[in-house]
């Protein structure tokens, strides 16, 4: 019998251990989200494609190819007999050729160098896009994480209020047993208990919803226990202008726009290359009975033979129905649009930085006021509980102050959680937050 009991206890322990929620920090949550976010993967693929485009542009400095062709043609006899007709007419004509060629632009009107520079700028722009997307995903996770964590901390504050009510209930029962208080005080305490239970149920429901949203962002389906603590509130840097300047200097979105602006300038230079003469050099070696002419590409029919052809090829467009002119003008319009886009982006980033800075400052001031109020209310509650024990005040006064203290504690807990998120948002707005790294200390000042 003892063996069965031991086995059941062991199975129960294993089941409880398997059902234990997984502790999760914000950094771990961000790492999970970045590993599974489709948008991040899309940008990673775009970065790889941009790298290949840069490689392709560099390979335009020289072009080498090896080609083999084979064909069989039937050539009918001429419809009108002609003296000296080749014997190949009216028979199957086998053709084959193997050729290797190397060509290089000696002068392309700066097109090759412009294409390479454009590809490099776009590669850097895509890398900045990837960094911006990682920050966006990390910020979304941080908001979901602290939304759920804030509710958990509020539940803890509710439990503290419930524990204070337990002490009051014991005091009430003692006074009722001694005949010093009416049963109405017990009913008032019970009503307060019901109110706390309703608030706890509401918080639990909100927390389940927040946990579900976080699980979707993380791409996992398991019980989680968020463990990050709300840190001590700190004041942000007082100089808002330096905060804005830091945002303009570091935000990846602006860097991506700047690189694309440079890429447009190089694309315009590549289009303007059509105004210049083009000089290429090439070497062609071939073997077969269907040789081509270097630089021309037309083929001749001959006996099996081999040759090497080398030469220079000069081309210049004299008139193309204004195609080059219109392409250059269109790029000028695109450059103006890019400049307007950057101005709009600058305003948006400045607004984000200023609003985030103002929010942190407001929350710090709000917390300081709430702490002072909580200390005063806690002192009043201790005095009233002592006086109620002597029968000098009504229990309703004690309950009223308990409600005030519970509200103050919940507000402080909520502000603490909001402050952690607000500091992260300020760091993200200024580009000083590294997702998955340490807490952003660059935006913080001295502890008040």
């Amino acid at each position: 019998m003892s063996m069965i009991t031991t086995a059941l206890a062991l199975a129960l322990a294993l089941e409880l251990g398997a059902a234990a929620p997984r502790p999760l920090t914000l950094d771990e949550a961000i790492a999970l989200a970045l590993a599974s976010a489709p948008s991040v993967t899309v940008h990673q693929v775009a970065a790889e494609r941009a790298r290949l485009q840069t490689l392709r542009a560099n390979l335009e400095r020289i072009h080498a190819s090896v080609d083999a062709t084979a064909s069989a043609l039937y050539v009918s006899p001429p419809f009108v007999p002609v003296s000296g007709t080749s014997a190949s007419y009216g028979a199957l004509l086998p053709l084959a050729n193997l050729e290797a060629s190397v060509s290089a632009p000696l002068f392309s009107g700066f097109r090759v160098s412009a294409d390479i520079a454009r590809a490099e700028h776009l590669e850097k722009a895509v890398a900045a896009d990837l960094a911006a997307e990682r920050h966006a995903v990390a910020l979304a996770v941080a908001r979901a994480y602290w939304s759920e964590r804030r509710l958990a901390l509020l539940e803890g504050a509710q439990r503290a209020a419930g524990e204070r009510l337990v002490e009051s209930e014991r005091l009430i029962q003692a006074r009722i047993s001694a005949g010093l208080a009416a049963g109405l005080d017990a009913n008032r305490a019970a009503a307060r208990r019901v109110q706390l239970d309703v608030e706890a149920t509401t918080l639990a429901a909100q927390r389940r919803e927040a946990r579900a949203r976080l699980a979707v962002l993380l791409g996992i389906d398991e019980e989680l226990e968020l463990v990050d603590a709300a840190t001590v509130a700190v004041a942000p840097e007082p100089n808002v202008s330096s905060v804005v300047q830091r945002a303009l200097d570091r935000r990846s979105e602006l860097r991506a726009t700047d690189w694309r602006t440079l890429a447009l300038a190089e694309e315009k230079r590549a289009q303007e290359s059509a105004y210049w003469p083009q000089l290429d050099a090439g070497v062609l070696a071939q073997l077969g009975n269907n040789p081509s002419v270097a630089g021309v590409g037309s083929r001749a029919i001959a006996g099996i033979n081999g040759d090497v052809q080398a030469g220079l090829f000069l081309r210049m467009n004299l008139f193309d129905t204004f195609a080059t002119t219109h392409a250059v003008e269109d790029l000028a319009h695109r450059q103006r649009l890019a400049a307007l886009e950057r101005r709009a982006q600058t305003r948006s980033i400045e607004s984000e930085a200023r609003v985030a800075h103002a929010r942190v400052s407001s929350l710090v001031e709000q917390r300081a006021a709430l702490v002072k109020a909580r200390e005063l209310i806690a002192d009043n509650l201790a005095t009233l509980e002592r006086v109620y024990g002597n029968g000098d005040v009504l229990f309703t006064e004690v309950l009223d102050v308990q409600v005030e203290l519970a509200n103050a504690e919940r507000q402080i807990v909520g502000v603490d959680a909001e402050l952690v998120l607000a500091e992260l948002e300020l760091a993200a707005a200024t580009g000083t937050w590294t997702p998955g790294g340490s807490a952003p200390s660059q935006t913080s000042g001295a502890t008040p």
Side-chain angles (χ1 to χ4, degrees):
M1 186 67 178
S2 60
M3 293 180 63
I4 296 177
T5 304
T6 303
L8 289 175
L10 180 60
L12 180 60
L14 290 174
E15 182 178 355
L16 291 176
R22 171 185 177 181
L24 190 71
T25 66
L26 176 59
D27 288 347
E28 292 170 344
I30 290 174
L32 285 172
L34 291 177
S36 61
S39 58
V40 174
T41 305
V42 167
H43 282 78
Q44 289 172 341
V45 173
E48 182 63 21
R49 291 185 62 200
R51 187 190 68 80
L52 293 176
Q53 290 295 329
T54 302
L55 176 60
R56 183 67 261 165
N58 278 279
L59 291 177
E60 290 301 316
R61 296 178 185 273
I62 187 168
H63 179 73
S65 65
V66 177
D67 299 299
T69 59
S71 59
L73 300 178
Y74 172 77
V75 182
S76 69
F79 297 132
V80 178
V82 179
S83 60
T85 301
S86 173
S88 61
Y89 289 124
L92 191 65
L93 180 64
L95 301 174
N97 197 51
L98 175 64
E99 62 183 39
S101 63
V102 177
S103 62
L106 299 182
F107 181 74
S108 64
F110 312 105
R111 174 184 55 81
V112 174
S113 59
D115 286 343
I116 293 173
R118 174 179 177 272
E120 291 174 347
H121 294 331
L122 289 178
E123 183 178 2
K124 293 175 182 177
V126 172
D129 288 338
L130 175 58
E133 182 60 28
R134 289 176 61 88
H135 275 79
V137 172
L139 188 57
V141 173
R143 286 169 175 160
Y145 185 99
W146 277 103
S147 174
E148 198 273 349
R149 185 71 179 122
R150 173 178 173 273
L151 293 169
L153 294 173
L154 287 175
E155 286 182 342
Q158 285 291 98
R159 287 192 293 270
E163 292 172 0
R164 280 195 298 270
L165 184 59
V166 169
E167 295 298 324
S168 298
E169 289 172 338
R170 291 174 182 170
L171 179 60
I172 291 170
Q173 291 300 325
R175 288 182 57 79
I176 291 176
S177 299
L180 301 176
L184 184 59
D185 286 348
N187 292 339
R188 288 167 176 162
R192 174 59 180 161
R193 172 66 62 187
V194 171
Q195 182 182 1
L196 287 176
D197 290 342
V198 171
E199 292 173 354
T201 302
T202 302
L203 285 174
Q206 293 174 347
R207 189 181 177 190
R208 282 194 297 270
E209 294 176 6
R211 188 184 298 118
R213 287 192 292 268
L214 178 61
V216 171
L217 281 175
L218 303 185
I220 59 177
D221 184 16
E222 58 181 294
E223 287 295 322
L224 302 173
E225 180 183 359
L226 310 187
V227 296
D228 277 12
T231 55
V232 178
V234 294
E237 181 180 346
N239 190 348
V240 182
S241 298
S242 64
V243 172
V244 171
Q245 189 58 49
R246 187 183 304 121
L248 297 179
D249 291 340
R250 299 189 181 186
R251 285 289 291 269
S252 299
E253 296 92 328
L254 278 181
R255 302 289 73 75
T257 300
D258 291 340
W259 287 121
R260 286 192 169 88
T261 301
L262 293 174
L264 280 176
E266 296 298 339
E267 186 177 352
K268 183 179 179 182
R269 191 159 67 99
Q271 288 289 349
E272 291 172 340
S273 68
Y275 293 133
W276 296 82
Q278 313 287 313
L279 179 62
D280 298 338
V283 177
L284 171 66
Q286 57 187 338
L287 176 65
N289 67 346
N290 189 27
S292 62
V293 180
V296 179
S298 59
R299 296 181 175 274
I301 300 176
I304 297 178
N305 204 340
D307 62 22
V308 175
Q309 304 172 24
L312 298 177
F313 307 93
L314 179 64
R315 305 183 310 277
M316 185 171 182
N317 175 259
L318 300 179
F319 182 70
D320 61 357
T321 322
F322 307 108
T324 301
T325 302
H326 293 164
V328 172
E329 289 179 356
D330 181 67
L331 277 165
H333 293 316
R334 289 168 60 190
Q335 285 179 311
R336 285 193 288 273
L337 290 175
L340 292 173
E341 180 184 353
R342 194 187 191 284
R343 286 176 57 189
Q345 212 169 28
T346 299
R347 290 185 179 182
S348 176
I349 289 175
E350 180 179 356
S351 175
E352 288 181 22
R354 290 185 180 277
V355 171
H357 182 274
R359 178 169 173 75
V360 174
S361 301
S362 299
L363 288 173
V364 169
E365 295 173 359
Q366 183 179 347
R367 187 185 190 280
L370 287 171
V371 169
K372 291 180 181 178
R374 180 188 61 182
E375 293 173 354
L376 180 60
I377 295 171
D379 184 64
N380 291 342
L381 179 60
T383 301
L384 284 173
E385 287 177 342
R386 184 173 62 255
V387 175
Y388 174 74
N390 298 329
D392 295 332
V393 297
L394 296 176
F395 183 63
T396 53
E397 296 185 46
V398 177
L399 277 181
D400 289 342
V401 178
Q402 280 190 358
V403 171
E404 291 179 8
L405 181 59
N407 290 337
E409 288 181 341
R410 285 199 303 270
Q411 287 178 318
I412 291 174
V413 167
V415 167
D416 284 343
E418 290 176 10
L419 256 174
V420 175
L421 179 58
E423 289 179 335
L424 288 175
E425 289 176 337
L426 178 56
T430 55
T432 56
W433 180 35
T434 302
S438 56
S441 59
Q442 296 93 326
T443 62
S444 303
T447 303

